[in-house]
Amino acid sequence: MSLLNQIFNRGLIGAKCKTCLTLAISRIKLLQNKRDMQLKLMRKEIAQFLQSGQEPIARIRVEHVIREQNIWAAYEILEMFCEFVLARVPIIESQRECPLELKEAVASIIFASPRCSDLPDLLTVRNLFTTKYGKDFISAASELRPDTSVNRTIIEKLSVYTPSGDMKLSVLKEIAQEYNISWDSSKTEAEFNKRPEDLLNGPKQISNVTTITKLPQSHKESPKAANHVPIKPPTNAANSNPTKVNQSSVEGKMVIPVSSESNDVLERARAAIAAADRASAAARAAAELVNVNFNSCTLQGANR
């Protein structure tokens, strides 16, 4: 690129940068006034919820208030940086590298531009800085590399995260104090101090093991030990049903009585096995029918 083109592009970048920064400053002021009104309305609604005893709704709405307050604080710092860079545009044009006194402001604008969708002028300024300083400088500020000087408050305010319980509680107390509401925060403090249950670990208490789990242990015993164990006489309930007594004393072996739940499980298992057998038989019959039809078709084709 010739020297004339460098001078022309340098002047063009400076003029565009001034225009975009001026538009961004005016847009930030308009958005700040609008956000102030929205914050007042949101805080008033939360105060009404606290006064009417609707604390769960207030605990949810306070997160939106915190988010809007963070954006408001970030925009205030961005407005100051834009004014600072606008006053130093001639210095930016005269030097090839970014000046040290402007590095924090320029890096902060580059970092915040894709995170502020309602400030499109900052994206244009970011593109101008890309043309001026190169893609490495832009990527270093966007990725927060150690050699960048992005403002830490902007990083914190523009980061998306769930506010802590202490932060939400302090904002709720501040709103209650602002609107002179006698609010008991004990329930909200207890709610914020609760820890979410770890659903992946399952229940902490295990119910009593049923007799089904004891059946495999009886089968692990050797047949000799089973023959030497004496059979206890049946109870009165067992005497009323002789069939169960006969079943329990078959071949002189002890059989552990099975509960009604285990009987239901066994019956369901038998029904499932029978259904599977019927399904397999139907599948075999269908396969045989297909083979017969195929053979008949091949014979008719051969006769023709």
Side-chain angles (χ1 to χ4, degrees):
M1 184 181 291
S2 63
L3 181 62
L4 182 62
N5 289 333
Q6 290 180 2
I7 296 173
F8 177 75
N9 289 331
R10 184 174 61 185
L12 185 62
I13 289 174
K16 284 184 177 180
C17 189
K18 286 182 179 180
T19 304
C20 293
L21 288 174
T22 304
L23 292 174
I25 292 169
S26 60
R27 197 184 299 272
I28 288 174
K29 291 180 179 179
L30 291 175
L31 291 173
Q32 291 293 78
N33 295 331
K34 183 179 178 180
R35 186 164 281 110
D36 284 336
M37 297 177 61
Q38 290 179 350
L39 279 172
K40 289 179 181 179
L41 291 176
M42 293 171 68
R43 291 169 74 92
K44 186 177 181 180
E45 289 179 354
I46 291 176
Q48 292 175 356
F49 289 137
L50 293 176
Q51 191 172 9
S52 60
Q54 299 179 355
E55 294 185 12
I57 302 177
R59 289 194 291 266
I60 297 173
R61 294 289 183 88
V62 74
E63 295 185 7
H64 299 285
V65 172
I66 293 173
R67 175 63 178 166
E68 291 297 323
Q69 289 178 353
N70 290 337
I71 296 176
W72 191 94
Y75 278 20
E76 189 177 10
I77 299 174
L78 283 175
E79 182 183 0
M80 180 184 64
F81 282 155
C82 288
E83 292 178 352
F84 184 61
V85 174
L86 180 61
R88 301 293 193 276
V89 169
I91 299 176
I92 293 176
E93 288 181 329
S94 62
Q95 297 183 12
R96 180 176 297 179
E97 300 294 334
C98 182
L100 293 178
E101 66 272 11
L102 292 173
K103 198 169 185 180
E104 181 181 4
V106 172
S108 300
I109 292 173
I110 292 170
F111 174 80
S113 57
R115 292 166 175 82
C116 302
S117 58
D118 48 0
L119 295 175
D121 302 314
L122 293 183
L123 286 175
T124 307
V125 176
R126 174 192 172 99
N127 295 332
L128 294 175
F129 286 151
T130 305
T131 306
K132 177 68 177 177
Y133 300 121
K135 294 182 179 180
D136 293 336
F137 183 84
I138 304 300
S139 60
S142 301
E143 298 172 2
L144 296 177
R145 295 178 185 173
D147 55 344
T148 57
S149 303
V150 182
N151 186 268
R152 296 302 171 188
T153 305
I154 288 183
I155 296 174
E156 180 183 355
K157 299 300 181 181
L158 293 181
S159 299
V160 180
Y161 63 93
T162 303
S164 62
D166 296 336
M167 184 184 298
K168 291 188 285 186
L169 183 62
S170 63
V171 174
L172 288 174
K173 289 182 178 180
E174 180 183 349
I175 293 173
Q177 186 178 2
E178 179 182 357
Y179 288 90
N180 297 322
I181 298 173
S182 58
W183 172 56
D184 184 11
S185 61
S186 58
K187 293 182 180 179
T188 302
E189 291 179 3
E191 189 68 25
F192 287 155
N193 291 329
K194 284 184 180 179
R195 295 182 179 179
E197 295 180 358
D198 190 1
L199 300 179
L200 297 177
N201 293 334
K204 296 181 180 180
Q205 295 181 355
I206 302 175
S207 59
N208 294 329
V209 182
T210 58
T211 55
I212 301 175
T213 57
K214 295 180 180 179
L215 289 175
Q217 295 178 359
S218 63
H219 290 292
K220 291 180 182 179
E221 297 178 357
S222 61
K224 294 181 180 180
N227 292 330
H228 287 290
V229 174
I231 301 175
K232 296 182 179 180
T235 59
N236 296 330
N239 291 332
S240 60
N241 193 352
T243 57
K244 292 184 179 180
V245 177
N246 294 330
Q247 291 177 359
S248 63
S249 59
V250 175
E251 296 179 359
K253 294 181 180 180
M254 184 186 71
V255 179
I256 298 175
V258 182
S259 63
S260 60
E261 294 180 357
S262 60
N263 288 331
D264 294 339
V265 173
L266 293 176
E267 289 178 1
R268 291 175 184 175
R270 293 192 186 97
I273 294 171
D277 293 338
R278 289 194 297 270
S280 61
R284 286 195 296 270
E288 292 177 358
L289 181 60
V290 170
N291 291 331
V292 170
N293 293 333
F294 180 75
N295 293 330
S296 62
C297 291
T298 53
L299 289 175
Q300 289 178 2
N303 291 332
R304 290 180 182 179

